[in-house]
Amino acid sequence: MITINNLSLYFGGQDIFQNISLMINKGDRIALVGKNGAGKSTLLNLFAQKLSPSSGKISKPNSIKIGYLTQDLDFVDGMTVLEEAEKTFEELNVLKNELDFLTSQVKERTDYNTQDYLDLINKLHETEEHFRMQGGYEIQSVISQVLFGLGFIQKDFNRQTTEFSGGWRMRIELAKILLTKPDLLLLDEPTNHLDIESIIWLENWLANYTGAIVLVSHDKHFLNIVSNRTIEIAFSKINDYKASYLKYLELRKDRIEKQIQAKKNQERYIKQTKDLINKFRAKKNKAAFAQSLITKLDKLEIINVEKEDVAKMHFRFPPSPRSGKVSIKVQGVSKIYDDNLVLDHIDLEVVRGEKIAFIGKNGEGKTTLAKIIVNEINYEGNIELGHNVKLAYYAQNQSDFLDEDLSILENIENAMNAKITSNARTILGSFLFSNDDVLKKIKVLSGGERARVALCRLLLQPCNLLVMDEPTNHLDITSKDLLKQALLNYDGSLIVVSHDREFLQGLTDKVYEFKNKKLKEYYGDINSFLSEKNISGLQELDLLDKEKKISKKYRNKDHKKTIKKLKNKISNLEKKIQELEIQKKDLDQKVSKINMQNNVSETDELFLLYEKVDKEKKQLEDEWITCLDELDKLN
C-alpha cells in the first residue's frame, strides 16, 4: 500500500529520521510507539503527505484512500452532526439526488406509451439498483451505529456542530473518517477525547476493520487490543516488530539487553584499538598501520542503547501542607447551562489523604464538577474548603496556558517563587528537558512535551488538594506510569477525572460514577467498580434492563423483516412491470399491423387488451414508486 525507502527528515535543527525504510500492507494494524518528541505524529504526516522528506521516497498508489485523524483539526461550521456524517458518502449522495430527480420525473410524466418514458423508467431502474448495491439504503443505519458508538444520542443528530465542545467535535471528525472506510486509517491519539465506553466500542470496531491502520496512542490496553504489528521510533531510526504491543515489550526488552552487551563489546574494541594506535603511531614502520586503525575507528558506527525514560525522569509531588480532617465538602450543588441541567443537587465529601476518581460518559458533568470545585464556573449550592486547604488544578487543556513565545526555561522560571530553592534547570531535568532542550520555544513542542512542562509547573506549588482532569492526555506511556507512581506517593487529597483504565487501576480509594445528573459512590479502584457492576467494561452501563433489551431485539427483528418483505415486493413488482412491458410491446406491434380487412370484434378485443395491460402497468409502477419511498423511510 505505502512504501518508504531511505527516508530522512531534518527539522527544527535536528534529525527526526535518518534513512528509514518500511512498508505498510493491507491488514496491518500498526502501533506507532516512542517517547514524546520522537516523531510519531511527524511520521503520520509523512504518510498523509502533509510533510515532504528531506531525502528518500514515499510511494503509494493514486487510488489509495487515506483517513487521517490529527490532534489539531480545523472545524467547519454551519452543519448539523447528521449532515456532517452524511457528507462523507459523496458518491451515494450524488446517486440519491439523481434517484430523487428521476422518481419525481416519473411521477410527473403521462406519456406512458413513448420511448422517452420507457428510457426514463429503465434509467430509474438502473440508478436505483446501483444505489442499492452500493449500500445506499443502509446509510442512515451505518451512521447511527457509528455515532451511537462514539457516545452521541439521537437528539444530538440534528444539533449544530458549533453547539459541541472541541472534544465532541473531534468525535464527529473521527466518525466521518470511520464512515468513509478508507484503505488506510491514520489515527493520532483517537482516545484522548473518548470516555471508557466509547473507547471499548472503538477497540471492537478497529479490531474488525479490514483496511490498514497506523495508530498513535498512549493507552496500553487499547494498543494491545488493536495492534498486530509495532513500529518503535528511537534515535531517529525505526525498529519494526511483527507483534502486538505487549509482545513487542517482551521483544524490546530482549533487544535492549543485546544492545547493552553489543555496546560493551564495542567499547572494549574501541579501547583496545586506541591503545594500539597510541602504541604504534610514533613508530615509523608502524605509522601506516596506526593510520589505518584511526580510519577504521572514524568509520565505526557507534551503537546507541536506548535509555528508558524511567532511568532519567524521576519526580514526586512536594510534601502537602498540613490541613484539617475534611479537605472539601460539596452540598446540594447544581449546574444548569442554558436550559440543560447537568448536575442536580450533588453531595460529596473528601477527607484528608483520600484519592477518588470521577468516571462516566462524556457530558455527564465530570469536568463541570471539577471546575466548580476549583471555583472556575458559577453554580448553585454550597462548597466549603477545609482548614488550611491549598488547592491545585490541572485542566484538560492545561498546556494551553503556557506562553508559546517563551522558552521552556522561561515558563518555569516565571512560575517559581522565592521559596523554591531548586534550580529551574535541575527541576526540568527531572522532566526529561536537559541542556539546550530547555531553550526550545513552547510552540515547537509536541503535545506530550507541552504536557510535561505543564506538569512541571504544577509541582512548583505545594498543595494538599489536587484536582486533575484527564492528566494522561498526550503523555507517553512511560510518563503516565511515572505520574501514576508520583500520585500514589502523594500525601494530599486527590480528585482525578480520567478515562484511562490502566492509569486508574490501584490509584483510588473510591470511584464516583456520574449518571443522570447524579453521583453514585463505589469503594475501591476502577477494577472494584467494574467487579461490583459485574461487567467487563463500561459498555453495558447504559444498556436497558433485560425486558427492554428483549423488546428492542424483537423491534429490530420486526424492522428487518419489514424491510426484507418490502424489498421482495419491489423485486416482484419490477418483474411484473417488465413482463407487462414485453406484453405491451407485443401488442404495440399487433396494433400497428391492423388494417381495414381485420375483423372488427378482433380489433376491439385487441384494443381492450392493450388498454388493460397499459392500465395494470401504470398501477404497478405507482405501487413500485410508493414502495421505494417507504423503503427509503424505513432505511
Side-chain angles (χ1 to χ4, degrees):
M1 293 180 75
I2 289 185
T3 303
I4 285 184
N5 190 30
N6 289 326
L7 181 145
S8 295
L9 179 66
Y10 184 79
F11 181 76
Q14 60 180 328
D15 287 311
I16 308 298
F17 298 111
Q18 289 181 340
N19 298 319
I20 65 169
S21 297
L22 66 97
M23 182 181 289
I24 299 175
N25 307 300
K26 187 176 180 181
D28 279 344
R29 299 201 297 274
I30 299 169
L32 201 57
V33 300
K35 62 184 181 180
N36 287 140
K40 300 185 293 295
S41 296
T42 304
L43 189 54
L44 291 184
N45 281 325
L46 286 165
F47 287 141
Q49 295 192 321
K50 291 182 179 293
L51 269 181
S52 298
S54 303
S55 63
K57 190 177 179 183
I58 302 175
S59 305
K60 71 178 184 67
N62 291 329
S63 59
I64 191 173
K65 187 162 62 172
I66 296 176
Y68 184 18
L69 181 77
T70 65
Q71 291 187 39
D72 302 306
L73 287 168
D74 294 323
F75 302 115
V76 178
D77 299 335
M79 287 191 172
T80 66
V81 173
L82 186 58
E83 286 168 343
E84 278 284 356
E86 288 174 336
K87 199 168 67 175
T88 60
F89 297 92
E90 293 178 11
E91 186 181 342
L92 284 172
N93 288 334
V94 171
L95 278 175
K96 178 72 166 61
N97 292 335
E98 187 179 355
L99 193 60
D100 290 343
F101 173 75
L102 292 171
T103 303
S104 67
Q105 288 288 300
V106 168
K107 285 182 178 179
E108 291 171 7
R109 298 282 284 269
T110 56
D111 55 336
Y112 307 121
N113 301 324
T114 65
Q115 188 61 42
D116 264 1
Y117 183 77
L118 292 177
D119 291 342
L120 183 64
I121 288 291
N122 287 333
K123 189 173 183 183
L124 179 61
H125 285 173
E126 289 171 7
T127 306
E128 192 279 332
E129 179 65 13
H130 187 38
F131 184 71
R132 184 174 63 80
M133 292 295 289
Q134 293 293 319
Y137 292 118
E138 283 79 44
I139 287 176
Q140 296 302 320
S141 174
V142 171
I143 287 174
S144 297
Q145 179 190 4
V146 172
L147 289 178
F148 287 149
L150 291 175
F152 292 93
I153 57 177
Q154 189 70 50
K155 68 178 183 180
D156 291 334
F157 288 17
N158 294 317
R159 289 172 60 192
Q160 289 286 317
T161 56
T162 49
E163 296 177 33
F164 293 87
S165 67
W168 279 97
R169 296 193 73 174
M170 192 72 80
R171 290 186 187 214
I172 296 170
E173 296 305 312
L174 175 57
K176 286 161 62 178
I177 290 167
L178 298 183
L179 287 167
T180 60
K181 294 189 176 176
D183 304 299
L184 173 62
L185 263 176
L186 305 175
L187 300 175
D188 196 353
E189 298 288 2
T191 65
N192 269 0
H193 300 283
L194 300 182
D195 51 53
I196 297 175
E197 188 175 351
S198 298
I199 290 172
I200 292 169
W201 178 87
L202 183 59
E203 283 174 353
N204 293 329
W205 197 95
L206 293 176
N208 295 310
Y209 181 62
T210 54
I213 301 167
V214 181
L215 167 70
V216 175
S217 177
H218 297 133
D219 184 325
K220 290 184 192 176
H221 187 80
F222 183 75
L223 280 178
N224 196 56
I225 290 287
V226 175
S227 65
N228 60 13
R229 179 179 170 192
T230 305
I231 292 178
E232 174 195 53
I233 303 173
F235 296 111
S236 306
K237 302 285 187 182
I238 62 165
N239 300 300
D240 196 347
Y241 298 82
K242 305 295 188 290
S244 64
Y245 178 73
L246 287 184
K247 183 65 177 174
Y248 143 76
L249 290 178
E250 296 174 17
L251 295 172
R252 177 177 178 271
K253 184 180 178 182
D254 182 57
R255 179 177 63 83
I256 289 178
E257 286 174 358
K258 288 177 179 174
Q259 263 186 4
I260 291 169
Q261 188 56 51
K263 179 73 171 173
K264 286 179 180 175
N265 293 340
Q266 188 182 65
E267 286 172 347
R268 190 182 304 116
Y269 167 77
I270 291 170
K271 184 180 181 302
Q272 290 171 350
T273 304
K274 283 182 177 178
D275 289 343
L276 286 172
I277 291 168
N278 291 332
K279 182 177 179 181
F280 295 123
R281 74 193 319 165
K283 297 180 181 179
K284 284 184 181 181
N285 60 338
K286 298 289 186 180
F289 174 61
Q291 188 57 48
S292 69
L293 291 177
I294 291 171
T295 304
K296 195 180 279 188
L297 277 187
D298 289 340
K299 289 181 179 179
L300 189 67
E301 187 175 338
I302 301 299
I303 296 170
N304 285 310
V305 178
E306 185 184 355
K307 295 177 183 176
E308 300 263 12
D309 280 352
V310 71
K312 293 169 62 180
M313 189 169 169
H314 49 86
F315 66 93
R316 57 186 300 122
F317 289 89
S320 301
R322 185 68 178 172
S323 65
K325 184 179 178 183
V326 175
S327 295
I328 191 169
K329 188 179 285 187
V330 176
Q331 294 176 311
V333 165
S334 298
K335 179 62 183 176
I336 299 175
Y337 286 107
D338 299 325
D339 295 326
N340 182 29
L341 179 63
V342 180
L343 297 172
D344 186 16
H345 289 88
I346 298 298
D347 295 321
L348 171 71
E349 183 176 283
V350 181
V351 301
R352 183 178 63 232
E354 193 172 34
K355 294 181 173 70
I356 67 172
F358 287 173
I359 66 165
K361 290 180 69 175
N362 283 356
E364 291 286 353
K366 303 185 300 294
T367 294
T368 298
L369 185 55
K371 288 183 175 180
I372 287 171
I373 287 170
V374 299
N375 203 28
E376 273 208 358
I377 55 176
N378 296 323
Y379 59 92
E380 294 178 7
N382 185 50
I383 290 183
E384 291 180 25
L385 285 178
H387 172 68
N388 198 35
V389 167
K390 308 224 178 285
L391 194 148
Y393 178 45
Y394 186 91
Q396 279 190 42
N397 59 336
Q398 191 68 33
S399 59
D400 292 347
F401 300 117
L402 301 171
D403 191 326
E404 288 205 331
D405 294 320
L406 295 181
S407 68
I408 298 171
L409 183 60
E410 287 167 332
N411 267 277
I412 296 304
E413 286 177 337
N414 290 347
M416 295 174 72
N417 59 39
K419 293 181 181 178
I420 299 173
T421 56
S422 299
N423 181 281
R425 282 180 175 270
T426 304
I427 295 170
L428 283 168
S430 299
F431 286 84
L432 306 181
F433 298 112
S434 57
N435 303 326
D436 290 342
D437 287 344
V438 301
L439 303 178
K440 286 181 182 177
K441 302 284 188 191
I442 296 296
K443 59 188 172 188
V444 303
L445 300 182
S446 69
E449 288 171 320
R450 290 181 182 218
R452 292 211 310 269
V453 177
L455 270 175
C456 184
R457 280 173 59 100
L458 182 71
L459 265 64
L460 296 176
Q461 306 299 330
C463 66
N464 45 31
L465 174 57
L466 180 57
V467 181
M468 306 190 86
D469 191 0
E470 301 292 3
T472 61
N473 280 1
H474 304 298
L475 287 180
D476 62 32
I477 291 167
T478 305
S479 298
K480 278 196 328 185
D481 291 344
L482 291 162
L483 173 60
K484 180 176 177 178
Q485 191 57 49
L487 289 173
L488 285 168
N489 294 328
Y490 173 60
D491 58 355
S493 305
L494 171 68
I495 297 173
V496 60
V497 181
S498 181
H499 61 253
D500 192 316
R501 289 158 289 179
E502 187 175 28
F503 181 72
L504 291 175
Q505 286 171 4
L507 180 60
T508 63
D509 311 305
K510 284 181 189 173
V511 169
Y512 284 91
E513 179 191 4
F514 283 64
K515 191 174 181 181
N516 299 328
K517 307 168 185 59
K518 297 287 188 182
L519 298 187
K520 187 171 181 183
E521 182 183 74
Y522 297 84
Y523 284 92
D525 67 352
I526 187 72
N527 286 346
S528 303
F529 165 75
L530 293 174
S531 176
E532 189 165 339
K533 297 290 285 190
N534 194 28
I535 54 177
S536 61
L538 295 190
Q539 70 269 39
E540 293 179 24
L541 287 184
D542 284 330
L543 288 182
L544 304 171
D545 57 35
K546 192 173 180 181
E547 289 182 8
K548 287 186 179 179
K549 281 195 282 184
I550 292 170
S551 171
K552 184 178 178 182
K553 178 182 174 184
Y554 282 109
R555 282 202 308 274
N556 288 339
K557 196 173 179 180
D558 290 342
H559 185 73
K560 288 177 183 175
K561 196 182 287 184
T562 305
I563 288 174
K564 188 176 179 182
K565 273 186 177 179
L566 201 52
K567 284 183 176 178
N568 289 337
K569 186 177 180 180
I570 289 168
S571 180
N572 290 331
L573 283 169
E574 287 170 350
K575 286 177 186 175
K576 288 179 182 177
I577 290 168
Q578 195 171 13
E579 289 168 3
L580 288 170
E581 186 61 43
I582 293 168
Q583 195 176 344
K584 192 163 168 268
K585 282 182 180 179
D586 184 50
L587 289 169
D588 274 333
Q589 289 179 350
K590 288 180 179 178
V591 168
S592 66
K593 293 176 182 177
I594 292 175
N595 54 45
M596 298 300 291
Q597 281 71 40
N598 281 92
N599 185 294
V600 175
S601 63
E602 286 180 0
T603 303
D604 288 344
E605 189 178 328
L606 189 63
F607 274 111
L608 284 172
L609 181 59
Y610 183 90
E611 287 177 4
K612 181 185 175 185
V613 169
D614 189 51
K615 184 180 178 182
E616 187 180 351
K617 180 172 170 287
K618 287 174 186 175
Q619 287 173 343
L620 290 177
E621 283 172 347
D622 288 341
E623 190 179 355
W624 176 76
I625 289 167
T626 303
C627 287
L628 280 180
D629 287 341
E630 192 178 340
L631 181 63
D632 194 30
K633 288 173 186 174
L634 281 170
N635 277 306

